[in-house]
């Protein structure tokens, strides 16, 4: 059998070249001080390293392959590094190798020592001393008058600080406050204590005592632990391992469930809870009845463009099973998430009188601004037998009274003082400005549209010019009497000028509109005219029209955005700070 030796040698050379470029083995390493890169290079001719030292580290051990450097000759690209170059760099390489070896040995010794420390810690056992007084289970907020008593407190490790082997400080958080806990001796030396991380859930037993003079702790006291239990540990590094306040906003929103454990958002949520209670207390003190209207609806309230249509078990429409009289068949109706509970509140005026609700509303806003949400908490109320002026008085009274309640509560007051130290509670009466006067204000102050033209009577005033005006005036404004053509179908016209409606927007500095309200049309023929003007088929509103048929009366109401109110009073730039899990364009998780 004959063999083509020349052909076989050529094939072997080609295979060798392929293996070199695929990194299977390297017969030589290339470096180039100008074109090379020690970070992204791989030592090949196409991707050379920058330095000879990097080439030696890439090789890993002696003998080194041939190390090429760029040639200074015109017709020559590469030349082997000189012995003098290699000798000089090799000394640095040897030194670095020694350092790396010493570092590896030190790390290995440290790991060995750590493992032994953990093994020893497994032998440390702590037990609950049953001879001590039985602990009283309490929340941190209730510790103020319990100094000298033995307590049992559950919570999470908010911060953790170790001092040597026999002293450990835990800042405990339970949702009601923070408490410093001191662990000493064996309590710090158990296996669980050594592996304890921030955000771990723990149970603490100990005696509450005043902090020593010259030292500080939340509440002015600390608990000296006699026993503790690890309920659920957290990953090393706690939340800081996942994100921090410097993380990108989308990362923070993706990890909202963890961000809510932080002091900032937890304070906002605490304040939000107190705020909702303040609204309830205001209404209940006035004899207003709270109700819970549905959020799955078939009717628009504030225009069809922002309606949320939803699927029901994969179907595009919601099947509502009921018999329509004289048809004896099922009706298939489109379903939406409610924009407002107003229409349902109106149906209760004749049976319950003044009514209110605090419920979710939904607007399919297509813009991602700092003050718009797709889902928000809506504070709404309706009142029968009132005039437009009385409605405006109720709005003033609501805002002033709720703020007073917040300032009387020590928790909400401290949060306001922390985030809005220059806050001045509003006083009655608020400035009342006609829409036509607002149009004149914009002209007089050169506040124009994007194309440079002025706003004219009959045009809607967008958010930005409205906010510019409100911020410049720097006080609450009740903007009233909007043109009939630009307002909702249910708003009644003014008796003295049928071009405008008995409508109001309450504007606050820094935020803009927080309340929209009006007197409602209460006569059947006028309401049907409103439906016609808005191109709405009134057949689906038979139940709403019936309120005008069966003993109607003049009535009015409003809707307030809870998140905007909170944004205003705490001086927040973005509305997302005011809600638990913000929902807006492209954001529906977690």
């Amino acid at each position: 059998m004959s063999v083509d030796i020349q052909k076989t040698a050529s094939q072997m050379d080609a295979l060798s070249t392929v293996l070199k470029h695929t990194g299977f083995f390297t017969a030589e390493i290339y470096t180039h001080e100008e074109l090379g890169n020690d970070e992204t290079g791989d030592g090949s001719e196409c991707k050379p390293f920058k330095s000879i030292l990097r080439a030696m580290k890439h090789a890993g051990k002696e003998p080194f392959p041939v190390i090429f450097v760029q040639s200074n000759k015109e017709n020559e690209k590469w030349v082997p590094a000189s012995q003098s170059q290699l000798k000089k760099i090799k000394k640095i390489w040897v030194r670095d190798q020694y350092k790396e070896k010493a570092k590896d040995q030190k790390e290995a010794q440290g790991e060995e020592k750590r493992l032994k420390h953990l093994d020893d810690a497994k032998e440390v056992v702590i037990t609950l001393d049953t001879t001590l007084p039985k602990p009283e289970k309490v929340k941190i907020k209730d510790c103020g008058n319990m100094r000298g008593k033995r307590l049992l407190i559950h919570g999470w490790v908010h911060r953790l600080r170790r001092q040597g082997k026999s002293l450990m400080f835990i800042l405990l958080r339970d949702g009601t406050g923070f408490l410093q806990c001191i662990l000493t001796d064996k309590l710090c030396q158990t296996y669980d204590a050594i592996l304890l991380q921030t955000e771990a859930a723990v149970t603490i037993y100990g005696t509450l005592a005043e902090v020593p003079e010259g030292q500080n702790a939340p509440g002015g006291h600390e608990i000296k632990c006699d026993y503790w239990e690890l309920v659920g540990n957290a990953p090393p590094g706690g939340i800081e391992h996942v994100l921090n306040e410097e993380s990108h906003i989308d990362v923070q929103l993706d990890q909202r469930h963890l961000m809510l454990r932080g002091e900032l958002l937890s304070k906002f949520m605490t304040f939000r809870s107190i705020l909702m209670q303040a609204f309830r207390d205001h209404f209940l003190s006035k004899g207003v009845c709270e109700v819970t209207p549905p959020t799955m609806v078939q009717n628009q309230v504030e225009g069809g463009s922002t309606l949320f249509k939803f699927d029901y078990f994969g179907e595009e429409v919601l099947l509502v099973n009921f018999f329509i009289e004289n048809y004896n068949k099922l009706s298939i109706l489109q379903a939406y998430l409610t924009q407002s509970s107003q229409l349902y509140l109106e149906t209760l005026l004749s049976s319950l009188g003044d009514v209110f609700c605090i419920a979710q509303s939904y607007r399919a806003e297509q813009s991602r601004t700092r003050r718009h949400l797709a889902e928000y908490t809506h504070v709404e109320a309706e009142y029968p037998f009132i005039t437009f002026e009385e409605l405006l008085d109720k709005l003033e009274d609501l805002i002033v009274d709720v703020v007073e309640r917040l300032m009387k509560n020590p928790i909400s007051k401290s949060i306001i003082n922390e985030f809005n130290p220059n806050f001045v509670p509003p006083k009655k009466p608020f400035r009342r400005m006609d829409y036509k006067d607002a149009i004149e204000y914009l002209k007089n102050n050169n506040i124009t549209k994007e194309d440079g033209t002025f706003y004219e009577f009959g045009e809607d005033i967008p958010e930005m010019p409205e906010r510019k005006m409100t911020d410049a005036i720097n006080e609450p404004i009740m903007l009233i009497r909007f043109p009939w053509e630009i307002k909702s179908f249910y708003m009644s016209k003014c008796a003295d000028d049928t071009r405008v409606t008995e409508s109001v927007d309450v504007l606050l500095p820094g935020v803009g509109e927080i309340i929209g309200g009006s007197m409602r049309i209460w006569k059947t023929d006028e309401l049907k005219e409103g439906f016609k003007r808005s191109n709405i088929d009134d057949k689906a509103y038979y139940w709403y029209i019936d309120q005008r048929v069966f003993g109607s009366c003049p009535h009015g109401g409003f809707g307030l955005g809870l998140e905007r109110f909170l944004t205003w009073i705490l001086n927040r730039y973005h509305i997302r700070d005011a809600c638990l899990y913000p929902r807006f364009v492209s954001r529906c998780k977690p």
Side-chain angles (χ1 to χ4, degrees):
M1 181 176 66
S2 62
V3 179
D4 188 337
I5 297 176
Q6 186 175 2
K7 183 178 180 181
T8 301
S10 176
Q11 290 174 336
M12 290 299 293
D13 288 341
L15 177 61
S16 175
T17 300
V18 170
L19 291 175
K20 289 176 187 177
H21 284 283
T22 56
F24 189 79
F25 69 83
T26 305
E28 59 270 326
I29 303 176
Y30 292 85
T31 68
H32 197 292
E33 290 184 356
E34 296 176 0
L35 304 178
N37 191 305
D38 285 346
E39 299 295 329
T40 60
D42 59 11
S44 66
E45 189 173 357
C46 298
K47 297 177 67 177
F49 292 125
K50 181 179 180 67
S51 65
I52 295 175
L53 180 61
R54 179 67 182 86
M56 290 181 174
K57 289 182 177 181
H58 178 73
K61 62 180 180 179
E62 297 184 274
F64 300 127
V66 178
I67 298 175
F68 284 93
V69 298
Q70 73 271 25
S71 175
N72 295 324
K73 295 181 180 179
E74 185 175 344
N75 297 323
E76 187 177 47
K77 186 174 182 181
W78 303 102
V79 63
S82 66
Q83 289 299 314
S84 61
Q85 284 179 300
L86 295 175
K87 185 176 181 180
K88 180 180 179 181
I89 302 301
K90 183 180 175 182
K91 289 181 179 180
I92 301 174
W93 176 80
V94 170
R95 185 188 64 198
D96 288 352
Q97 289 291 103
Y98 176 80
K99 287 182 178 179
E100 285 294 325
K101 185 176 180 181
K103 181 181 176 182
D104 291 342
Q105 288 178 342
K106 186 175 181 180
E107 288 179 354
Q109 290 171 354
E111 179 64 14
E112 183 179 350
K113 186 177 180 180
R114 190 185 74 85
L115 293 175
K116 185 178 185 306
H117 186 41
L118 287 175
D119 286 338
D120 292 341
K122 291 177 182 179
E123 304 298 321
V124 179
V125 178
I126 58 174
T127 57
L128 185 62
D129 189 346
T130 56
T131 65
L132 294 173
K134 185 178 179 180
E136 185 174 347
K137 183 178 177 181
V138 297
K139 296 287 188 180
I140 292 176
K141 68 179 178 65
D142 299 322
C143 287
N145 58 352
M146 306 195 75
R147 293 179 184 176
K149 294 183 179 180
R150 188 164 181 258
L151 307 177
L152 183 158
I153 303 178
H154 301 292
W156 289 263
V157 179
H158 191 66
R159 294 196 186 95
L160 178 63
R161 178 164 58 93
R162 294 181 173 90
Q163 285 187 203
K165 295 181 179 180
S166 301
L167 184 60
M168 187 162 68
F169 293 89
I170 292 176
L171 184 63
L172 194 69
R173 180 189 77 238
D174 74 345
T176 70
F178 297 88
L179 178 63
Q180 180 168 282
C181 308
I182 302 176
L183 283 67
T184 58
D185 301 328
K186 291 175 67 176
L187 297 178
C188 309
Q189 298 164 10
T190 65
Y191 184 79
D192 286 342
I194 293 173
L195 295 182
L196 185 66
Q197 303 292 330
T198 55
E199 292 307 320
V202 297
T203 299
I204 298 291
Y205 297 75
T207 303
L208 191 69
E210 185 177 358
V211 295
E213 186 176 352
Q215 297 184 17
N216 294 311
H221 45 233
E222 59 193 10
I223 192 165
K224 297 180 179 178
C225 302
D226 54 64
Y227 182 73
W228 74 283
E229 295 173 342
L230 175 64
V231 179
N233 210 349
I239 291 176
E240 290 291 327
H241 183 70
V242 180
L243 81 165
N244 54 52
E245 292 182 359
E246 301 301 320
S247 300
H248 189 275
I249 184 57
D250 282 330
V251 175
Q252 293 186 25
L253 289 171
D254 286 343
Q255 304 297 327
R256 186 75 167 186
H257 58 295
L258 297 179
M259 287 290 291
L260 285 165
R261 297 189 180 203
E263 295 178 38
L264 190 70
L265 287 182
S266 63
K267 285 180 181 177
F268 294 157
M269 295 306 107
T270 297
F271 185 87
R272 181 186 167 104
S273 174
I274 299 172
L275 176 61
M276 292 180 70
Q277 189 60 47
F279 276 111
R280 281 196 168 90
D281 290 344
H282 168 82
F283 287 120
L284 296 177
S285 73
K286 305 291 184 181
V288 187
C289 181
E290 182 172 12
V291 295
T292 53
T295 55
M296 295 168 56
V297 301
Q298 296 161 4
N299 312 101
Q300 65 172 321
V301 183
E302 298 298 338
S305 64
T306 61
L307 280 169
F308 265 112
K309 182 173 67 175
F310 66 92
D311 297 343
Y312 186 71
F313 294 137
E315 299 294 330
E316 185 170 302
V317 295
L318 171 67
L319 301 181
V320 182
N321 297 329
F322 68 97
F323 285 94
I324 298 181
E325 196 172 352
N326 299 326
Y327 284 88
N328 195 29
K329 64 180 181 180
L330 294 179
S331 177
I332 301 177
L333 300 171
Q334 181 65 62
Y336 307 96
L337 296 175
T338 186
Q339 300 167 314
S340 166
S341 296
Q342 172 201 322
L343 305 189
Y344 292 99
L345 291 178
E346 288 187 58
T347 68
L348 297 165
L349 296 178
S350 59
S351 57
L352 300 178
D354 300 345
V355 290
F356 82 98
C357 71
I358 300 179
Q360 299 302 96
S361 286
Y362 306 85
R363 302 281 172 91
E365 300 283 356
Q366 296 305 309
S367 57
R368 182 172 175 171
T369 74
R370 66 183 181 93
R371 70 170 213 153
H372 282 98
L373 293 167
E375 177 187 19
Y376 64 99
T377 302
H378 215 170
V379 181
E380 299 182 85
E382 293 291 322
Y383 303 93
F385 297 105
I386 63 169
T387 65
F388 185 44
E389 288 298 317
E390 288 173 331
L391 176 63
L392 299 182
D393 291 341
K394 286 182 180 295
L395 296 182
E396 286 180 339
D397 187 45
L398 171 71
I399 295 174
V400 171
D401 183 52
V402 166
V403 171
E404 286 180 356
R405 293 175 185 274
L406 293 172
M407 298 304 288
K408 288 177 181 178
N409 184 302
I411 297 176
S412 54
K413 181 179 180 180
S414 68
I415 295 175
I416 292 173
N417 290 338
E418 178 179 354
F419 294 101
N420 195 1
N422 297 321
F423 176 73
V424 177
K427 296 180 180 180
K428 297 184 288 187
F430 292 177
R431 176 192 291 250
R432 300 184 182 186
M433 177 186 290
D434 274 20
Y435 162 87
K436 61 182 178 60
D437 295 329
I439 292 293
E440 287 302 313
Y441 179 95
L442 298 181
K443 290 181 178 179
N444 295 336
N445 289 273
N446 199 33
I447 301 175
T448 65
K449 303 176 189 177
E450 290 185 0
D451 62 4
T453 60
F454 288 110
Y455 293 95
E456 301 295 339
F457 187 92
E459 295 181 314
D460 187 29
I461 302 176
E463 171 193 347
M464 188 54 66
E466 186 179 76
R467 285 227 322 270
K468 285 182 178 179
M469 177 182 71
T470 309
D471 291 349
I473 295 174
N474 196 31
E475 63 178 274
I477 299 173
M478 304 186 87
L479 192 56
I480 59 175
R481 295 164 62 93
F482 289 86
W484 180 74
E485 291 83 0
I486 65 173
K487 299 307 286 185
S488 298
F489 66 89
Y490 53 78
M491 294 187 181
S492 63
K493 296 178 181 178
C494 292
D496 61 341
D497 185 353
T498 56
R499 297 181 306 157
V500 295
T501 55
E502 293 181 308
S503 53
V504 56
D505 284 353
V506 178
L507 314 177
L508 295 177
V511 178
E513 179 192 348
I514 67 159
I515 294 178
S518 75
M519 296 298 291
R520 319 308 191 187
I521 293 175
W522 63 283
K523 294 182 179 180
T524 306
D525 55 345
E526 292 180 11
L527 181 60
K528 289 189 174 183
E529 182 186 351
F531 282 127
K532 185 176 180 180
R533 186 251 301 177
S534 298
N535 295 317
I536 297 175
D537 184 355
D538 63 12
K539 290 180 181 179
Y541 292 81
Y542 71 94
W543 53 275
Y544 185 65
I545 297 173
D546 274 352
Q547 305 309 309
R548 279 75 187 162
V549 174
F550 291 88
S552 186
C553 71
H555 62 281
F558 65 88
L560 176 148
L562 184 83
E563 288 81 7
R564 288 191 184 179
F565 190 97
L566 189 150
T567 302
W568 163 67
I569 198 168
L570 292 188
N571 193 32
R572 306 309 300 164
Y573 175 76
H574 205 291
I575 199 169
R576 61 173 168 254
D577 290 342
C579 44
L580 201 64
Y581 289 96
R583 296 291 185 254
F584 45 82
V585 176
S586 77
R587 169 61 55 183
C588 197
K589 69 175 184 179

